[in-house]
Amino acid sequence: MEPLRTSDPARVAEYRLLRRLGAGGMGVVYLARSGAGTLVALKLVLEEYAEDEGFRERFRREVATARRITSPWAVPVVDADPEAAAPWLATEFVPGPSLAEAVTAHGPLAQPGLRVLGARLAEALHAVHTAGLVHRDVKPGNVLLAVDGPRLIDFGIARAPEETTLTATGMVVGTPGYLSPEQARAGEGPSVGAPSDIFSLGCVLAFAATGRPPFGTGAPDALMFRAVHDPANLDGVPQDVAAVLRGCLEKDPRDRPTAGEVRAAFEGDRPVPAPAEGTGGAPDGTPEAEPPAWLPEPVVRLIAERSASVLELPDIDATEVDAAAVPTAGAPTEAAAEAAAPPGRRRLLLLAGAAAVVAAGGGLAAWAVTRDDGPPATTAGGLPVYVLGVHADLTGDRKDIGRAQERGVRLAVEQFNARTDRPFTLSVRAEDDRGDPAEAARAAQRLADDRSVLAVIGPTTDATAAVSLTTYDTALLPVVAVSPGAISLSVQGHKSFFQARPQDSILGFYLRAFLLGTARARTVGLIDDRKADDYAWELCGPLSKLLREARRPSVPKVVSALQTDFAAVLDELTAAGIDSLVFAGYHDRAALLARELHDRRFTGARAAAQGVLDERFLSAAGAAADGWTIVAPATDPSVQPEGRKFAAAHRGRFGTAPHWYAAEAYDAAGLVTSALRSLPAAQRSRARLTEAIRAVTYRGITKNFAFDPATGALRIDGSGVFLWKVSGGVFQYAGPAPYQVPV
């Protein structure tokens, strides 16, 4: 939840707005309270869209559609006014995380939880289908978790199967990675009916069981292609659950079970109880003291924390309880006027319910008290001290990059502290995750729990970032990552995450410019190494499309993760007449390919991305590494005019030249420091710093830093990606990588 802004209204109809829950291009969702004390999630449409009659009609449809769904596992509509000047829709408020957030932060669900999740979501979809509708966007982000069961949300694009308003040929409606084959074909195949939701349900349950979508991640067109043609990856799914999912994920919609059949398959002889009357998972009902075992304990704790946070909301005062027992937070003048009225029973139930959840979660009342940043420590001279966290792999597989990032941050902090005009002092706290995702989650929690830490630089890898970001987001702790590049990290909606480098999927533009410009390639071979999974797709998918748009032939080949001999695939590529090659994979497999190409005396361009910028590629490939070109978001500052001073300072401080990503981390620390300096002393908090980082423009030695204020995405201006070439058995810096093909 975020505080209200000065531009936000105080009320909508009878509902008092309390906090922002989220915002999109067409409206804002608020946490609001009715006059009777009921908490709701209120979606308010921006007035400029309300003036569009077509948009207003679609909003009327959403309201009418949601009201047709009657299931305890679908979030119900509480109130709505589609005819208001700014149309709005209020639904029951569920304080729990989404399934996407919970699994990303705390791992897959165990078998009992999967069966409960599958049965109850199937029951919700049965209600949707019985009403003659198709949800069309069943995904982990549209499933909220409460202690008594999941809730299906967002019926904004639900339609009757025969309605074609949103299903014109060529228009894809839904979320890639969870789309059915008929949705991916965009009107060119079977119609989108109830079986489409069953396919999406299978994808959601596969994600809940493994922590990954069954068709991977990557470019949308790649995901849709896999949904239509590739088998789902169900490795790691419990056997009995996998048997149900295989039916859900049949390519032909006629072969899939109905929602009722899915529910029966999951329940078997063990029916799942209905939710207790009056709870519904909202904080104005009292959850059971012993929550069902379908959720792991950390997720129950997270629900407890969010329920407890309601105690801090304006005008939720314990006026029927001894004031000494329940502290009352200050409230705005308008709220104080309402508080003078006799409180209803619902308000007392709200307090009791939240307290019960805290007791169930175990010792979480302190979260509500300590979540705001306390006063900083001070130096002997009276300057406040703020801490920058470094979350890195310092002793594991990528310790070379992790240590480089730590050194870059420490050097930036030492240089700042040496300034006589500094308004504050900085300190560094480093946490080593050893490159292990499980340890990364613990490292993130340690940094989040240290209230003196105002920002974090890191983590080092995609895998460690994936398990850490929810923890940082929950703590409102801004995190600036300079080496992880997966697109999946940025699409989860983490408000405090800044991916301060071009994503892997963007590197295709630089590879295209190199191939068509410098290399003068005519026919390009693309090797997608399945061992690299999403990383390979994010490189190959966009690059293949870019080459196709440039009318330059490409020959894509997929290599099994178990295959160690590239001879067969190179035979096929050679027969196709390739004169250049791009490998989408990591250093170890690139070395195998390099040796095979060397033995064949292949002299064409050989290119890869940062997954091959690794000293181990050089040692494993030997002489065969020479001639390879690498596109990577890491520079050598010692050969750049603006970076030489940094490189000299690094050598003087640490006795060695800066390694890859040291300069990028140095810039990240400078970015955070610049944003922190822009804030008045009274506003130097995690939340305010997150806003300031979104707003600041910072010119570093590696690139220009500017983020989209709405999404936090790095604005791409062509800078920040560089060429490296292997010559004489070493990586040699070759300057900024071109973004456009020279004319």
Side-chain angles (χ1 to χ4, degrees):
M1 294 187 292
E2 296 180 355
L4 296 178
R5 301 178 184 176
T6 55
S7 58
D8 291 324
R11 290 180 176 276
V12 172
E14 68 161 308
Y15 296 93
R16 166 78 186 282
L17 304 187
L18 304 174
R19 291 286 190 273
R20 278 181 165 234
L21 296 177
M26 297 182 180
V28 182
V29 180
Y30 298 97
L31 175 64
R33 193 194 69 248
S34 72
T38 303
L39 290 176
V40 299
L42 190 146
K43 179 192 292 187
L44 180 65
V45 175
L46 298 177
E47 290 194 24
E48 55 262 40
Y49 292 101
E51 295 172 0
D52 180 346
E53 186 53 40
F55 183 89
R56 186 180 287 273
E57 176 58 31
R58 290 193 295 274
F59 191 79
R60 291 190 190 104
R61 285 173 173 266
E62 179 178 356
V63 172
T65 297
R67 280 176 164 161
R68 290 167 64 180
I69 310 302
T70 56
S71 169
W73 313 119
V75 174
V77 173
V78 174
D79 200 356
D81 187 355
E83 308 305 328
W88 56 272
L89 167 68
T91 62
E92 177 189 88
F93 173 62
V94 180
S98 70
L99 178 66
E101 180 184 352
V103 172
T104 299
H106 302 293
L109 299 185
Q111 183 190 41
L114 291 172
R115 294 181 66 88
V116 172
L117 181 70
R120 290 175 174 172
L121 289 181
E123 184 177 345
L125 287 176
H126 178 72
V128 172
H129 300 160
T130 299
L133 299 168
V134 183
H135 188 285
R136 297 175 185 259
D137 198 19
V138 179
K139 61 182 179 182
N142 279 343
V143 177
L144 299 182
L145 303 181
V147 291
D148 62 338
R151 301 293 191 277
L152 184 63
I153 65 170
D154 199 350
F155 296 90
I157 60 174
R159 291 291 184 275
E162 65 274 9
E163 291 186 71
T164 59
T165 307
L166 293 178
T167 55
T169 300
M171 176 174 284
V172 176
V173 178
T175 303
Y178 299 92
L179 293 173
S180 67
E182 51 269 33
Q183 284 176 295
R185 292 190 183 106
E188 298 176 0
S191 61
V192 177
S196 176
D197 285 344
I198 300 302
F199 188 94
S200 299
L201 174 62
C203 295
V204 167
L205 295 175
F207 169 80
T210 64
R212 64 177 188 276
F215 299 103
T217 59
D221 55 345
L223 294 175
M224 292 187 287
F225 179 89
R226 295 181 210 169
V228 174
H229 300 287
D230 290 0
N233 181 1
L234 298 181
D235 293 345
V237 180
Q239 186 174 359
D240 61 332
V241 175
V244 181
L245 299 194
R246 290 189 189 96
C248 295
L249 296 170
E250 287 284 352
K251 303 300 184 186
D252 190 334
R254 295 171 296 183
D255 295 333
R256 298 173 203 150
T258 65
E261 290 169 340
V262 173
R263 177 189 177 187
F266 280 123
E267 287 190 337
D269 297 328
R270 295 171 290 176
V272 179
E277 182 178 358
T279 60
D284 58 344
T286 306
E288 301 171 2
E290 293 294 333
W294 79 285
L295 288 175
E297 190 272 338
V299 178
V300 175
R301 188 187 310 130
L302 181 58
I303 296 172
E305 291 175 352
R306 295 188 177 179
S307 298
S309 69
V310 175
L311 289 168
E312 292 187 311
L313 296 176
D315 195 40
I316 301 187
D317 303 314
T319 51
E320 291 189 9
V321 183
D322 181 20
V326 183
T328 302
T333 303
E334 182 181 359
E338 291 185 20
R345 172 173 167 76
R346 291 185 73 87
R347 189 173 303 169
L348 183 59
L349 288 175
L350 170 61
L351 291 169
V357 176
V358 172
L364 294 165
W367 179 85
V369 176
T370 62
R371 56 184 297 222
D372 290 330
D373 305 317
T378 58
T379 64
L383 290 179
V385 178
Y386 303 109
V387 180
L388 297 187
V390 176
H391 180 166
D393 175 1
L394 301 177
T395 57
D397 187 63
R398 295 319 319 258
K399 60 180 179 292
D400 53 343
I401 293 178
R403 289 175 178 174
Q405 292 179 7
E406 181 190 13
R407 287 177 172 180
V409 173
R410 289 192 182 279
L411 185 56
V413 166
E414 290 172 8
Q415 290 180 348
F416 178 80
N417 288 342
R419 298 178 56 169
T420 58
D421 64 341
R422 70 186 188 279
F424 49 79
T425 294
L426 294 175
S427 180
V428 176
R429 171 175 175 172
E431 287 287 346
D432 177 18
D433 64 21
R434 304 193 298 272
D436 176 16
E439 182 56 33
R442 292 188 284 269
Q445 193 64 60
R446 290 193 293 272
L447 288 170
D449 289 343
D450 183 349
R451 302 307 300 182
S452 67
V453 176
L454 287 194
V456 172
I457 313 299
T460 306
T461 67
D462 291 333
T464 52
V467 300
S468 306
L469 297 186
T470 298
T471 297
Y472 290 130
D473 214 45
T474 302
L476 302 178
L477 179 58
V479 54
V480 181
V482 297
S483 49
I487 194 173
S488 59
L489 299 175
S490 65
V491 299
Q492 299 174 25
H494 297 298
K495 296 180 179 62
S496 65
F497 174 55
F498 299 91
Q499 201 165 15
R501 52 147 289 192
Q503 295 172 339
D504 292 335
S505 57
I506 300 296
L507 298 184
F509 287 90
Y510 300 89
L511 286 166
R512 176 199 60 174
F514 165 74
L515 291 165
L516 304 188
T518 305
R520 302 293 180 186
R522 296 183 301 276
T523 303
V524 181
L526 303 177
I527 295 183
D528 178 337
D529 187 1
R530 291 303 291 268
K531 190 173 182 179
D533 199 18
D534 297 337
Y535 167 72
W537 269 106
E538 289 183 30
L539 290 176
C540 276
L543 179 57
S544 176
K545 182 178 180 180
L546 290 168
L547 292 173
R548 187 166 61 250
E549 291 174 349
R551 299 183 180 179
R552 195 62 53 97
S554 65
V555 184
K557 294 294 178 182
V558 177
V559 178
S560 166
L562 301 177
Q563 188 173 336
T564 58
D565 184 354
F566 286 87
V569 70
L570 286 178
D571 286 341
E572 296 178 25
L573 291 172
T574 302
I578 68 164
D579 63 352
S580 56
L581 182 68
V582 174
F583 177 68
Y586 295 123
H587 65 91
D588 52 344
R589 309 262 287 173
L592 298 175
L593 176 62
R595 290 201 299 268
E596 182 68 31
L597 288 168
H598 185 264
D599 292 344
R600 291 170 180 250
R601 293 182 170 83
F602 182 83
T603 58
R606 288 140 287 166
Q610 83 278 352
V612 181
L613 188 66
D614 191 306
E615 298 289 349
R616 291 171 292 185
F617 169 67
L618 302 178
S619 59
D626 274 22
W628 277 68
T629 298
I630 313 299
V631 172
T635 189
D636 180 356
S638 64
V639 298
Q640 296 179 270
E642 61 272 28
R644 288 171 186 159
K645 185 177 180 181
F646 161 76
H650 188 283
R651 187 179 293 277
R653 172 65 175 81
F654 301 107
T656 182
H659 195 62
W660 305 312
Y661 297 105
E664 286 74 16
Y666 176 88
D667 276 351
L671 165 72
V672 171
T673 304
S674 177
L676 191 58
R677 291 193 69 177
S678 71
L679 295 170
Q683 295 185 17
R684 290 174 189 151
S685 66
R686 292 175 171 183
R688 293 294 187 185
L689 181 56
T690 298
E691 296 175 1
I693 293 173
R694 286 185 180 234
V696 75
T697 297
Y698 181 77
R699 184 176 180 82
I701 61 177
T702 63
K703 68 176 74 69
N704 299 322
F705 293 86
F707 299 94
D708 186 298
T711 66
L714 181 69
R715 288 178 170 170
I716 303 299
D717 62 0
S719 69
V721 179
F722 307 91
L723 289 178
W724 293 81
K725 295 187 177 181
V726 182
S727 179
V730 298
F731 287 112
Q732 294 189 354
Y733 177 73
Y739 185 73
Q740 302 288 349
V741 179
V743 178

